[in-house]
Amino acid sequence: MRRVEIFENIDKMKKFLNGESSIGFVPTMGALHRGHRSLLERAREENRIVVLSIFVNPTQFLEGEDFSKYPRTLESDIEIAEEVGVDAIFLPTAENLYFSDELGVIAPKVRGFILEGERRVGHFNGVLQVVLKLFNIINPDRAYFGKKDAQQLILIQQMKRDLFLDVQIVPVEIVRDSDGVALSSRNRYLSEGERESARTIPESLKIAEEMAENGESLAKIRDEIGDRLKNLDVEYIEIIRRDLGKIEEIERGNSIILLAVKVGNTRLIDNSWI
Ligand code: AMP
């Protein structure tokens, strides 16, 4: 197997990519699983050069969130990258990516501060800031994002539009475990019992999809999901348009059901594009 090149230094990373014309980029926070892998595989199919970045970005974590205990599994991340045939891993440090008193990026006033952005105020400022920095360093032709983080994906598509970024944003389907639970680096925090409970999240989304197919009302679908998740600590169940606008009724092919649920101390998000 070919060894992947690893760059901590920004100038060396840029030099490696200088003159390349077909670059696929997959930004992550590491602790890679099959969800990340499917992004990398898609990038591998569609580009000459594939770059993976691994950076646990401090500016997108709020006070009291799991920044310091976020899982870090570099050795196995490198193995996965090599299996997929990634060309380079960009591993910046916060010291070389950030400056003191630097200018910021502010998420859109409405879409950036509802749902996840309402519970995690400022989270998307940090996400958009780091993604913009990474885009400017890597200069990718295509960048791959999971539909698992639906609001993040939509805001990155908006950033591309608003700032006229010359990159194609490629959405990738959610990868789930055999019990239906969406793969997430945070699933490892779940106890066996919590994992059992977490199954009701994808189960409720599945029922909701069937109800939407049968033309049930938005209110009825929300109630049904709420009912099925009543033993969990639900933060929100929202059904909105794919541009994150409010809707009164489901617009088939243009709606998303978004959930955030706490299972024990672990906060899980999931969604369904309907
Ligand atoms: P993270 O490292 O968790 O920030 O995720 C990096 C990228 O992988 C993001 O674009 C996520 O949306 C994507 N991702 C995470 N989990 C999944 C999953 N289960 N299926 C598809 N994509 C995922």
Side-chain angles (χ1 to χ4, degrees):
M1 210 177 328
R2 195 166 43 112
R3 280 208 69 85
V4 62
E5 303 264 2
I6 300 178
F7 297 96
E8 287 187 10
N9 180 283
I10 293 175
D11 290 334
K12 288 186 180 151
M13 180 74 254
K14 287 175 78 149
K15 200 158 166 228
F16 177 79
L17 296 170
N18 190 23
E20 292 292 348
S21 60
S22 168
I23 300 173
F25 177 45
V26 180
T28 76
M29 299 202 298
L32 301 187
H33 50 62
R34 283 189 293 110
H36 302 114
R37 198 184 172 112
S38 85
L39 270 60
L40 291 168
E41 284 170 348
R42 176 82 182 272
R44 185 64 286 167
E45 282 165 23
E46 297 178 352
N47 302 276
R48 221 180 71 69
I49 298 282
V50 175
V51 182
L52 157 71
S53 68
I54 299 176
F55 180 61
V56 185
N57 174 37
T59 71
Q60 71 189 66
F61 286 79
L62 269 61
E63 210 50 43
E65 288 188 343
D66 56 348
F67 172 69
S68 55
K69 74 174 177 98
Y70 194 84
R72 288 157 170 92
T73 61
L74 185 59
E75 281 313 306
S76 90
D77 293 352
I78 294 172
E79 258 173 49
I80 291 172
E82 290 186 333
E83 278 167 28
V84 177
V86 168
D87 297 285
I89 301 179
F90 182 43
L91 259 185
T93 61
E95 290 68 35
N96 58 29
L97 210 52
Y98 286 105
F99 304 90
S100 67
D101 192 30
E102 68 168 51
L103 65 80
V105 175
I106 303 191
K109 273 205 258 327
V110 177
R111 293 186 192 91
F113 294 88
I114 55 173
L115 303 159
E116 286 303 287
E118 189 181 339
R119 276 84 189 170
R120 307 180 70 190
V121 178
H123 168 68
F124 288 119
N125 296 348
V127 169
L128 297 176
Q129 177 187 36
V130 77
V131 169
L132 184 59
K133 280 174 186 273
L134 294 169
F135 280 0
N136 285 332
I137 294 166
I138 306 296
N139 213 355
D141 296 274
R142 281 165 285 274
Y144 297 79
F145 292 89
K147 288 165 91 171
K148 161 85 176 13
D149 298 281
Q151 190 175 8
Q152 168 176 289
L153 164 63
I154 291 161
L155 291 174
I156 287 166
Q157 285 169 323
Q158 185 179 341
M159 177 167 74
K160 170 208 152 80
R161 184 200 68 183
D162 293 358
L163 301 183
F164 303 98
L165 301 182
D166 197 9
V167 55
Q168 188 190 333
I169 306 299
V170 184
V172 179
E173 292 304 321
I174 300 176
V175 177
R176 297 178 178 281
D177 238 325
S178 53
D179 61 0
V181 176
L183 293 178
S184 160
S185 309
R186 292 187 170 104
N187 289 349
R188 69 191 70 205
Y189 301 148
L190 298 170
S191 70
E192 218 173 290
E194 289 169 347
R195 176 73 194 211
E196 276 290 294
S197 314
R199 283 181 188 204
T200 50
I201 299 168
E203 280 164 13
S204 70
L205 284 173
K206 203 141 203 193
I207 304 276
E209 285 164 17
E210 284 161 19
M211 289 175 77
E213 200 137 309
N214 294 331
E216 297 281 8
S217 74
L218 188 152
K220 215 164 163 190
I221 295 174
R222 274 195 77 208
D223 288 350
E224 179 69 30
I225 299 173
D227 231 33
R228 287 177 183 270
L229 298 180
K230 67 175 178 297
N231 294 327
L232 299 176
D233 182 4
V234 175
E235 283 193 10
Y236 62 78
I237 302 167
E238 292 288 349
I239 306 178
I240 54 164
R241 234 189 358 243
R242 290 190 183 182
D243 64 2
L244 302 181
K246 281 202 168 98
I247 42 175
E248 299 299 322
E249 281 311 329
I250 304 254
E251 296 172 17
R252 293 276 301 284
N254 194 23
S255 308
I256 316 179
I257 306 174
L258 295 146
L259 306 179
V261 179
K262 269 189 100 173
V263 185
N265 288 324
T266 308
R267 190 172 182 279
L268 301 177
I269 58 170
D270 201 345
N271 63 72
S272 173
W273 300 57
I274 52 175

